[in-house]
Amino acid sequence: MRTDPGSVAGRRRGPVDPRLLRRAAPVRRFLVVAVLIGSATAAVIVGQAWLIASTVGAVFAQPRLEPVVTALPWLAAAVALRAGLGWLNSTVGARAAAAVKSQLRTEIMTARLSAPGTPAIPAGRLVTMITSGLDALDGYFARYLPQLVLAVTVPLIIGAAILLADPLSALIVALTLPLIPIFMILVGWMTTALTRRRFAAQSRLAQHFADLVAGLPTLQVFGRARAQAEGLRRSGELHRRETLRTLRIALLSALVLELLASLSVALVAVGIGLRVVEGDLTLTVGLFVLILAPEAYLPLRLVGAHYHDSADGVAAVERAFAVIDEPGTAPRGTLDPPDPARSTIELTGIAVRFPEAASEAVRDVDLVLGPGELVGLAGPSGAGKSTLLQLLLGFREPTRGRVLVGGTPLSELDPERWRSLLAWVPQQPALISGTIGDNVALGAAGAPPARIRSALTRAGAGELDPDRPLPAAGAELSAGELRRVALARALLKIDCGGARWLLLDEPTAGLDPETELAAISGVRALGVGGLVVSHRPAVLNATDRIVPLRPTPSPAEPAARTLPEPAARTFPEPAAPSIPEPAAPSIPEPAARSFPEPVEGQARFLEFGGPRTVEAPKGSAELRRRRGSRLNGRAAAERGPRSGR
């Protein structure tokens, strides 16, 4: 069953993962050295306790300073030796952590680069894993594992010393000592669950932030950049809560373990005090046992205090091996690739289904590339053109079908040597920090500057200065310039790096027609074969032949495609005269027409401000004309005096 790299595996493998012991030699050396250091530390503790107890007992028996003066140099040497052993333990742990982290990071990147399409883990989560995720191994190796070894060696040696000096105190220690591991287990169950939740929140925050940064230009264009602040704030708040919850449990667990250890030492001390008072135990022996009793509990208390480092470290190892031991990764081949000048590449019955996809992305593709033949792949987006390039690169295994190179299955070829024969321009090229020339020279390390300039010219980027510095990811270059630099890198690999096949995925997207023609001419001038994915007619027409690809229908699409044309097309257009026009004359004239004309007296009465009588207009048009003339007259009368002033 596939393990989710983003979460901790549900089955615990103990404090030290067996896979670390099998694959990381520094871990084995560290454990051996830690056992030796722990045994030496326990012996120093016993000697220091006996030195103090015998000196104090001698002073109480005979009040003199000679025993103190004699014991001080030995006591100082014991303290210095114990401090040196503690420093050596931490140093060895830190070195082991650095070596293991370096090895795990190398194996993670090797596994991801060998099959970048296989692990279902986002890039943001992968970055979190190989940076801050594996940094949790510092505390795991520098604090937890050394203390775990001390918790095994020190209590045994100290317990044996107490047993020889006072069997009753040894019995009390033996009965109370297991209480600390029991409470550690109870606390550990809760800490493990909280650690998983905290890492999930941290990964979610990292992925959210990475996606936000990548899509920030698009969000800014559409005015949605500020709206993302709320989602980012929620992810950060979730991470803060889970972190504080984990820290709270860690602090409370330390308090519980300290309380248990204190009560256990108190039981030993009470028994020793009563027997010393009764005379059943000498002061020297009682003091010796009393000094050793806290040292027997201390390693276990510190293991519990550092259990949080253990949870983080084990979780980091689980996540790392979930990517390294990805079940979907096919075993690497070992055969040498055949000679490209006399070999063909055959894709037979190829089908690819992505994980959790409803249908196959590519289905029943048959393709043969002859030596030196440049084939164009055409088709709409989603037809599987880029997926076929991933198959040829060995980044993905076909679900069905075979990829043969000169009659040899591609899976049996050594992937590094096979990829050395391929010059690839991805759909989204990536650049590194440095100059333009440094990025082009990735195609052939050590290529002379003249060849680098020639590759830029053939790619249509002759105006770009190879010595121009670039920030990370080539942020100062336009999309067209970035593609031309990537194309120049591929052409240089053909020219100086020994590659003999071109795999180009939209190499001229974003270029103007003139630059596109220059780039096409540079590709054809090399005379090598390969596959070119493009939607541009000029690029496809420059290939030897064009292979069309069609999208694979989803399960719901075939039924929709078999439906006939919309039924509305089979009916005649509706006749316009069948819709009657509204009859305007049906609206009656205003009733004011029925009023009689006003008499002369009424008109003079209106001039003197008497009651107004509505005159009956002869029609609605006449009414609008009279009202307009009155309003115009009033407006002119009002403007006149103001303009005069």
Side-chain angles (χ1 to χ4, degrees):
M1 183 178 65
R2 189 181 184 281
T3 304
D4 184 9
S7 62
V8 182
R11 183 169 60 90
R12 288 297 304 268
R13 298 177 181 268
V16 182
D17 197 308
R19 293 172 293 183
L20 280 179
L21 296 177
R22 292 194 302 266
R23 303 171 66 166
V27 178
R28 297 191 294 269
R29 292 195 297 267
F30 165 71
L31 291 178
V32 173
V33 174
V35 170
L36 296 177
I37 294 175
S39 302
T41 302
V44 171
I45 291 174
V46 172
Q48 181 182 357
W50 179 253
L51 186 63
I52 295 174
S54 60
T55 302
V56 173
V59 171
F60 269 89
Q62 296 180 358
R64 294 180 303 166
L65 292 178
E66 287 81 1
V68 177
V69 174
T70 304
L72 279 179
W74 293 100
L75 186 60
V79 171
L81 183 58
R82 186 175 178 182
L85 289 173
W87 170 84
L88 182 62
N89 207 6
S90 299
T91 302
V92 171
R95 290 182 177 273
V100 172
K101 286 194 301 181
S102 177
Q103 181 173 344
L104 288 179
R105 282 171 177 151
T106 301
E107 293 188 15
I108 288 173
M109 295 309 299
T110 301
R112 183 62 186 263
L113 293 176
S114 62
T118 301
I121 174 172
R125 187 174 296 176
L126 181 67
V127 171
T128 302
M129 178 190 301
I130 63 177
T131 53
S132 60
L134 288 181
D135 284 341
L137 292 176
D138 290 333
Y140 179 68
F141 280 97
R143 292 186 292 271
Y144 177 74
L145 279 186
Q147 202 59 53
L148 185 64
V149 174
L150 291 177
V152 175
T153 58
V154 171
L156 288 177
I157 297 176
I158 290 180
I162 294 176
L163 180 63
L164 294 176
D166 183 14
L168 182 58
S169 297
L171 178 62
I172 297 175
V173 171
L175 292 177
T176 57
L177 198 62
L179 294 177
I180 295 180
I182 291 174
F183 277 85
M184 284 171 50
I185 293 173
L186 297 177
V187 173
W189 287 344
M190 182 176 295
T191 304
T192 302
L194 291 177
T195 302
R196 296 179 185 178
R197 291 167 53 182
R198 184 178 65 84
F199 180 78
Q202 181 181 1
S203 300
R204 189 181 302 114
L205 177 61
Q207 183 63 28
H208 189 178
F209 187 75
D211 292 343
L212 183 60
V213 171
L216 193 58
T218 304
L219 294 172
Q220 191 70 27
V221 168
F222 289 95
R224 300 295 299 170
R226 294 184 180 274
Q228 302 302 314
E230 178 62 22
L232 197 61
R233 186 194 65 79
R234 292 181 181 177
S235 298
E237 179 64 20
L238 177 62
H239 179 256
R240 184 191 68 83
R241 288 200 307 268
E242 296 299 334
T243 301
L244 291 179
R245 188 176 300 171
T246 305
L247 292 177
R248 182 168 61 250
I249 295 298
L251 295 175
L252 291 177
S253 63
L255 176 62
V256 171
L257 297 178
E258 288 288 341
L259 182 61
L260 280 175
S262 300
L263 293 176
S264 302
V265 173
L267 291 176
V268 176
V270 169
I272 291 176
L274 293 176
R275 283 180 291 153
V276 169
V277 171
E278 295 291 336
D280 297 335
L281 194 66
T282 64
L283 179 62
T284 300
V285 174
L287 190 58
F288 174 68
V289 173
L290 193 59
I291 293 174
L292 287 182
E295 298 292 346
Y297 295 100
L298 180 62
L300 291 175
R301 287 158 47 197
L302 294 180
V303 167
H306 295 311
Y307 185 81
H308 182 71
D309 295 320
S310 164
D312 286 345
V314 172
V317 171
E318 290 285 350
R319 291 189 296 268
F321 280 113
V323 177
I324 295 171
D325 299 334
E326 176 64 36
T329 305
R332 295 167 60 92
T334 57
L335 300 180
D336 289 331
D339 184 9
R342 298 192 300 269
S343 303
T344 60
I345 298 178
E346 302 177 31
L347 286 79
T348 307
I350 292 296
V352 177
R353 181 191 293 271
F354 293 102
E356 301 179 0
S359 61
E360 295 174 333
V362 178
R363 178 184 298 172
D364 299 332
V365 174
D366 297 304
L367 179 63
V368 178
L369 279 75
E373 184 183 21
L374 193 63
V375 177
L377 289 179
S381 299
K385 304 183 295 296
S386 300
T387 304
L388 291 182
L389 296 187
Q390 290 184 356
L391 293 180
L392 293 179
L393 287 164
F395 290 164
R396 189 177 297 278
E397 290 290 323
T399 307
R400 189 174 66 253
R402 295 193 305 169
V403 180
L404 304 177
V405 180
T408 304
L410 180 59
S411 58
E412 298 180 7
L413 302 181
D414 182 83
E416 298 298 330
R417 281 175 283 181
W418 165 246
R419 288 168 191 159
S420 66
L421 301 176
L422 303 177
W424 178 44
V425 177
Q427 198 170 30
Q428 296 179 346
L431 301 185
I432 62 173
S433 298
T435 63
I436 291 179
D438 294 337
N439 281 275
V440 176
L442 291 176
R451 294 291 187 91
I452 294 176
R453 292 182 180 273
S454 176
L456 285 170
T457 302
R458 288 199 302 268
E463 75 280 2
L464 296 179
D465 183 9
D467 298 325
R468 174 182 170 183
L470 293 177
E476 295 181 356
L477 296 181
S478 66
E481 290 174 333
L482 193 148
R483 290 184 181 278
R484 283 182 283 167
V485 171
L487 181 59
R489 182 165 56 198
L491 298 181
L492 182 66
K493 189 174 182 180
I494 294 288
D495 190 18
C496 302
R500 290 297 175 265
W501 292 95
L502 273 173
L503 299 179
L504 308 179
D505 197 348
E506 300 289 353
T508 62
L511 302 184
D512 58 87
E514 182 178 352
T515 307
E516 183 180 46
L517 290 177
I520 295 172
S521 301
V523 171
R524 293 298 300 178
L526 294 175
V528 296
L531 276 178
V532 180
V533 173
S534 181
H535 293 92
R536 310 286 285 265
V539 177
L540 295 175
N541 292 334
T543 59
D544 296 325
R545 59 189 174 95
I546 301 174
V547 176
L549 292 181
R550 295 180 178 83
T552 303
S554 62
E557 285 181 354
R561 291 183 177 178
T562 58
L563 293 176
E565 294 294 329
R569 295 186 178 180
T570 61
F571 292 100
E573 294 293 332
S578 62
I579 303 176
E581 295 291 336
S586 62
I587 301 175
E589 291 293 330
R593 290 185 176 181
S594 60
F595 290 110
E597 293 292 333
V599 296
E600 182 178 358
Q602 288 178 333
R604 283 199 300 268
F605 187 68
L606 287 172
E607 293 176 358
F608 290 95
R612 297 183 181 180
T613 303
V614 179
E615 296 181 357
K618 297 181 179 179
S620 58
E622 181 67 18
L623 178 61
R624 287 194 298 271
R625 184 184 64 78
R626 290 187 180 185
R627 287 180 179 175
S629 62
R630 280 202 304 271
L631 291 175
N632 292 335
R634 291 177 184 175
E638 291 174 357
R639 286 196 301 269
R642 283 198 297 268
S643 61
R645 287 193 298 268

